[in-house]
Amino acid sequence: MPPNYEKPIFPTHQADGIAGSLLPESFYLLRNRIVRLNAGLVRKIAHRVSRQCSEPYEDLEQIGYLGLIRAIERFDPTQGLCF
């Protein structure tokens, strides 16, 4: 199960995407839901990469979750792209 982050892990001035358009509590709920929905993808990629390098699987999984959270916080839906 992916970690449940209650506060942004990156400064809010960097999170100018969907973070600025939603209320803080609804943004965190949406972000955590997106992280849970994409947890399988993070685990799959971490498992594949763990066979190719010497980093432990758990570390790669955590890095994957951090990257996913950063992508969610920086995503800008006004650009017309899908997440």
Side-chain angles (χ1 to χ4, degrees):
M1 175 65 74
N4 185 7
Y5 296 100
E6 297 300 326
K7 296 182 180 178
I9 58 173
F10 299 102
T12 44
H13 62 80
Q14 289 182 356
D16 53 354
I18 58 175
S21 63
L22 295 173
L23 295 174
E25 57 274 354
S26 63
F27 169 70
Y28 300 135
L29 292 174
L30 177 63
R31 183 191 65 186
N32 290 340
R33 183 171 180 221
I34 294 171
V35 169
R36 282 192 301 273
L37 290 173
N38 289 293
L41 178 65
V42 170
R43 286 192 297 268
K44 180 180 177 181
I45 294 173
H47 181 71
R48 186 180 338 146
V49 172
S50 70
R51 295 187 212 164
Q52 300 171 359
C53 69
S54 62
E55 291 292 322
Y57 168 77
E58 292 80 15
D59 290 348
L60 295 171
E61 188 178 19
Q62 287 181 358
I63 292 168
Y65 284 128
L66 290 174
L68 177 61
I69 290 170
R70 183 168 187 215
I72 293 168
E73 289 180 352
R74 295 187 65 188
F75 177 70
D76 187 8
T78 60
Q79 292 182 346
L81 301 172
C82 297
F83 181 73

